[in-house]
Amino acid sequence: MDTLKAFLRHPTGMIGLVILVAVLALAAAAPVLFPDSPWDMVGAPFQPPLSEGLLLGSDMLGRDVAAGIAYGARVSLMIGIAATLAAVLIGVVIGAVAGYFGDKVDDAMMRLTELFQTIPGFILAILLVATLGPTLTHVVVAIGAVSWPPVARLTRAEFLRLRGREFVQAAVCQGQPPLVVVLRHILPNALSPIIVTGSLTIATSILIESALSFMGLGDPNLMSWGFMIGASRTVIRQAWWMSVFPGIAILLTVLAINLVGEGLNDTLNPRVARKVRAA
Amino acid sequence: MSMSASAVSGGRGAAIVLPIVGWVAKFVGVVLVIATFNFILVHAAPGDPVQVIASQSGAADAKLLAQLRAEYGLDKPYPVQLAIYLKRVVTLDLGYSYRQQRPVRALIAERLPATLLLTATAFLIALTAGVVLGVLAGVRAGRWSDTLLTIVSLLLYAMPVFWLGLMLVLLFSVKLDWLPAFGYVTIGVEMSPLQRLGDIAAHLVLPATSLAAVYLAIYARLTRSSVIEVMHQDFIKTARSKGLTQGNIIARHILRNAILPVVTVAGMQAGALVGGAVVIETVFAWPGLGRLIYDAVLQRDYPVMLGIFLVMSVIVIVLNLITDAIYRLIDPRVALRAAS
């Protein structure tokens, strides 16, 4: 409750939350606001914004840009959250194994993490989607596969810190198996920084997803913001609105998530926050 | 970073030798792992690996497939196949693009200079402008210019790099007509070498700025916070009481200390920078590796995709080595610790 109250008093965090709720509402209301499929032709092509019945104009094929943005919100949020769950799962497992067992296991795990941080993640994601095929699941897997290293490093650091604490040692001495020690005693205490990193990972996942669909590697059955920009970039001289509005949608969504993430960081880890502010 | 840790022990001269050994080991390690990864990917792809290597091209007749199968040893067990593949990579044989009917190595060599020019320019813009802006904001912490930096960087963090590029095109090419929007050099115009250089530079401005923008923001904020931290330390007060001018203090004392975290982070982000170059080249029709991989993805040209992934990873490692060397230049303690 205290955390909630602190967050509600966090000015930029609240701005982010308000924008995020608006995006969520848009995503939820998409079928009500735009009963037709976003792929349907609803008017003449190349209609500028504020034309009749087309708030944000139409694209090269006469599709409603506003409808595309509403349905795109669903895709962006869904992929952002699913890919983050994948990244957190991989990152926590690798970080926990490294931090709990330490020594040689830690060494090997950290080398793997470092390698994944060295290679250009976006190109790896391109390769994965191109090889496995552009479906929703594969896009999620590809983004998850390149987004886990920061989570792993953080989890490892937390586990190393908690591993030596008395309550953990006591549990080990009682003969509790490693899995129980990890799940019942260490992980719950390491959760708040993982939540903060996770929330920021949603933002980067949405950015990676938009870049993949911009390059034509999104699921071809799903209308997404990156696809809209990629499809209309060649006509940007004649029709700016087709690229500008989906971009603003990405910008606002990612900004909102980043602000909420920073707000969570300040309220969940007040000690860190105070140190940063003092610096 | 990991190299500096491994260089802590050792005798005189180890300061130079040990990091180089570490670098070479890291380089070889990463190349081998990525090659292995490529190998696994080809075998994990749906369909016959031979079909994947031939990229399902129309030219993939039975004779070619049989020839490929023999060449890659695809009838042999996996470890042998992997060994054959690694041997090819080590000898810089990146395979053959059946789509483009040319060796992958030749295709990459042709496009590499443009990508290097773009990434190096963006990297330099981000580092220099980021540090300068960060110092200015840090020295004036709390004033309006400082707040402006915070807001602009929040926006840049949230912007897809390809969209920023398109918006710059919209403003500086379509509306103002100041800068060319697409390509590398104006085609079909007679130019002296100097004019040509200027023309390429004009074409470089928008893509390099778009690619650099977000890193510029990150480095500026980092520099800002470390400037603020350094400014309150005792040795700065000492310098001030000695009567040094503000400019002198910034140049000789603050900058040197404030720049170190920036260099560390710049090294860590080299991979993201190179990945961003792929998207930016697509936006600006910049004839580098990014464009090549975009076309390869559309045509499912696997040998080209895998070759570019390998080469781009090597670029990242080289950028890592450069930042590591810069770090050693700025912070003599790293070298001292290694030598003692």
Side-chain angles (χ1 to χ4, degrees):
Chain A
M1 263 344 265
D2 285 350
T3 315
L4 186 67
K5 268 188 207 152
F7 187 85
L8 291 176
R9 265 185 268 115
H10 194 282
T12 51
M14 277 310 288
I15 296 176
L17 191 62
V18 169
I19 304 176
L20 191 59
V21 167
V23 176
L24 281 168
L26 181 67
V32 182
L33 293 172
F34 306 98
D36 298 327
S37 154
W39 299 96
D40 283 354
M41 208 177 124
V42 294
F46 286 95
Q47 292 300 302
L50 299 177
S51 310
E52 210 189 322
L54 292 165
L55 181 65
L56 302 179
S58 67
D59 72 357
M60 308 83 67
L61 298 175
R63 296 175 294 214
D64 189 348
V65 173
I69 287 180
Y71 282 90
R74 308 183 130 208
V75 175
S76 282
L77 292 173
M78 185 166 59
I79 292 182
I81 292 169
T84 299
L85 287 179
V88 167
L89 188 71
I90 305 171
V92 165
V93 168
I94 289 187
V97 169
Y100 186 84
F101 293 104
D103 226 16
K104 289 216 173 89
V105 181
D106 183 25
D107 237 35
M109 293 289 167
M110 281 305 105
R111 256 165 216 276
L112 182 73
T113 312
E114 217 174 82
L115 178 84
F116 266 82
Q117 282 191 312
T118 306
I119 56 177
F122 182 62
I123 301 176
L124 178 58
I126 291 180
L127 272 183
L128 285 172
V129 177
T131 315
L132 301 172
T135 66
L136 178 71
T137 321
H138 293 155
V139 170
V140 167
V141 167
I143 299 174
V146 300
S147 306
W148 60 268
V151 183
R153 294 190 89 104
L154 180 92
T155 309
R156 168 185 176 264
E158 287 293 308
F159 269 60
L160 281 178
R161 186 175 65 83
L162 293 165
R163 180 75 177 86
R165 297 276 290 272
E166 282 90 352
F167 67 94
V168 175
Q169 294 298 332
V172 174
C173 287
Q174 284 172 2
Q176 298 190 13
L179 197 64
V180 173
V181 176
V182 166
L183 289 181
R184 290 199 47 192
H185 300 286
I186 306 185
L187 196 57
N189 287 294
L191 222 48
S192 60
I194 294 176
I195 290 174
V196 170
T197 313
S199 65
L200 297 174
T201 309
I202 299 179
T204 53
S205 299
I206 291 179
L207 285 176
I208 300 176
E209 188 277 330
S210 74
L212 283 173
S213 355
F214 174 79
M215 306 258 309
L217 282 168
D219 190 322
N221 301 312
L222 298 173
M223 180 58 84
S224 80
W225 295 333
F227 166 78
M228 294 170 77
I229 301 174
S232 61
R233 72 185 165 91
T234 45
V235 296
I236 194 167
R237 278 175 195 276
Q238 303 91 305
W240 55 269
W241 60 89
M242 299 177 197
S243 332
V244 168
F245 292 125
I248 292 177
I250 302 174
L251 174 68
L252 282 178
T253 309
V254 174
L255 179 70
I257 296 171
N258 280 340
L259 291 178
V260 169
E262 274 182 34
L264 277 178
N265 186 39
D266 291 351
T267 45
L268 286 177
N269 310 322
R271 267 171 304 154
V272 182
R274 232 172 284 140
K275 209 167 69 192
V276 171
R277 235 173 276 138
Chain B
M1 291 128 266
S2 61
M3 280 73 83
S4 45
S6 67
V8 168
S9 60
R12 204 169 285 270
I16 308 297
V17 176
L18 272 183
I20 291 176
V21 171
W23 290 344
V24 171
K26 187 175 178 184
F27 188 85
V28 173
V30 172
V31 169
L32 286 183
V33 171
I34 287 172
T36 310
F37 178 82
N38 278 351
F39 175 83
I40 296 171
L41 206 59
V42 167
H43 286 266
D48 186 351
V50 176
Q51 296 278 2
V52 174
I53 294 165
S55 304
Q56 289 106 21
S57 63
D61 55 278
K63 205 175 139 200
L64 171 67
L65 295 187
Q67 184 199 327
L68 274 176
R69 202 159 273 145
E71 200 179 328
Y72 283 81
L74 290 173
D75 42 358
K76 301 199 174 67
Y78 282 136
V80 180
Q81 290 184 35
L82 178 61
I84 294 175
Y85 179 69
L86 289 183
K87 202 176 140 199
R88 296 170 70 108
V89 169
V90 169
T91 53
L92 285 179
D93 175 2
L94 298 175
Y96 191 81
S97 164
Y98 291 92
R99 288 275 179 186
Q100 307 219 28
Q101 296 294 326
R102 290 183 61 194
V104 174
R105 188 171 59 182
L107 283 168
I108 289 181
E110 199 176 276
R111 302 294 194 97
L112 188 59
T115 293
L116 288 181
L117 180 65
L118 175 64
T119 29
T121 313
F123 196 57
L124 283 178
I125 293 177
L127 266 183
T128 48
V131 168
V132 169
L133 286 178
V135 169
L136 289 180
V139 173
R140 300 148 190 250
R143 293 203 216 162
W144 67 268
S145 51
D146 182 36
T147 317
L148 185 70
L149 175 71
T150 310
I151 293 173
V152 169
S153 46
L154 271 176
L155 289 177
L156 283 175
Y157 291 161
M159 222 178 262
V161 62
F162 57 87
W163 189 70
L164 173 64
L166 283 171
M167 292 305 107
L168 292 180
V169 166
L170 209 49
L171 180 61
F172 291 103
S173 304
V174 179
K175 292 273 178 242
L176 298 170
D177 200 20
W178 286 356
L179 289 162
F182 302 110
Y184 176 75
V185 69
T186 312
I187 299 165
V189 183
E190 280 291 316
M191 279 183 285
S192 70
L194 203 66
Q195 277 173 323
R196 193 182 144 81
L197 212 64
D199 190 52
I200 294 177
H203 279 84
L204 185 59
V205 175
L206 288 182
T209 314
S210 334
L211 181 56
V214 68
Y215 302 100
L216 199 161
I218 294 173
Y219 303 155
R221 284 192 85 179
L222 257 177
T223 312
R224 174 188 172 272
S225 56
S226 50
V227 162
I228 293 172
E229 201 179 320
V230 173
M231 269 202 320
H232 292 107
Q233 286 181 8
D234 289 341
F235 71 93
I236 299 294
K237 287 182 193 135
T238 311
R240 198 157 278 149
S241 58
K242 272 197 318 195
L244 288 184
T245 60
Q246 177 80 348
N248 222 322
I249 291 174
I250 291 176
R252 294 196 45 191
H253 296 285
I254 295 181
L255 201 55
R256 199 181 187 122
N257 286 288
I259 210 171
L260 286 173
V262 177
V263 174
T264 308
V265 170
M268 277 159 52
Q269 283 175 333
L273 181 82
V274 169
V278 172
V279 193
I280 282 296
E281 287 185 9
T282 310
V283 173
F284 288 94
W286 188 258
L289 293 177
R291 269 296 297 285
L292 191 62
I293 203 172
Y294 179 70
D295 296 338
V297 164
L298 289 182
Q299 303 169 331
R300 297 291 185 268
D301 191 344
Y302 285 94
V304 173
M305 281 194 262
L306 300 178
I308 292 177
F309 181 48
L310 193 72
V311 172
M312 291 290 217
S313 305
V314 169
I315 296 178
V316 174
I317 305 171
V318 172
L319 282 175
N320 273 327
L321 302 189
I322 294 174
T323 49
D324 198 63
I326 297 177
Y327 198 101
R328 281 159 189 283
L329 264 174
I330 301 171
D331 190 356
R333 280 172 303 176
V334 176
L336 272 179
R337 231 183 301 154
S340 60

